[in-house]
Amino acid sequence: YLRYKMWPAYAQAGLPEALLFGIMAKESGGKVHAVSPSGASGLLQFMPATGRRFGLGYDNGFDQRFDPAASTAANVAYLNEQFKRLNNDLELVLGAYNGGEGRMARLSQ
């Protein structure tokens, strides 16, 4: 139901739609207002600092990590950054997204 807000960022970046919805299913189960015990929030589960790093702040008190279009644009930027860092290895990139950049960087050395 939110595809029309989320898919354009992936299409523009040339990323497969299945990747977007796979990440969303794993991270939030498609729940717009999901919040993890560790503090990750939104459909794509951005931690506060990572969200800020990719432009997800507060707009009139609204946490943009809950905005489907903004969080998808941030997700695309994050994935592209990690693809460059991790030699285009999709498994490592997904591991970095879900389990932390530092952990995957150590594994990829």
Side-chain angles (χ1 to χ4, degrees):
Y1 68 95
L2 291 172
R3 181 182 187 271
Y4 76 100
K5 290 187 175 195
M6 299 176 80
W7 168 239
Y10 263 60
Q12 185 176 11
L15 293 170
E17 182 175 25
L19 180 60
L20 167 63
F21 293 106
I23 291 171
M24 184 174 64
K26 172 67 178 160
E27 294 294 328
S28 69
K31 297 175 183 141
V32 176
H33 294 96
V35 178
S36 76
S38 64
S41 295
L43 284 164
L44 298 167
Q45 291 291 285
F46 275 94
M47 293 295 287
T50 307
R52 283 190 303 275
R53 195 169 106 213
F54 290 95
L56 300 175
Y58 285 86
D59 184 15
N60 291 322
F62 176 73
D63 186 342
Q64 292 178 316
R65 294 179 297 163
F66 294 109
D67 180 304
S71 64
T72 304
N75 171 268
V76 166
Y78 180 91
L79 292 176
N80 284 331
E81 176 186 275
Q82 294 306 308
F83 278 124
K84 288 176 189 168
R85 286 185 64 223
L86 299 169
N87 301 315
N88 289 318
D89 187 319
L90 179 59
E91 289 181 21
L92 291 177
V93 169
L94 291 174
Y97 194 90
N98 185 262
E101 298 170 34
R103 182 179 301 153
M104 289 305 112
R106 287 188 298 279
L107 289 173
S108 69
Q109 294 178 3

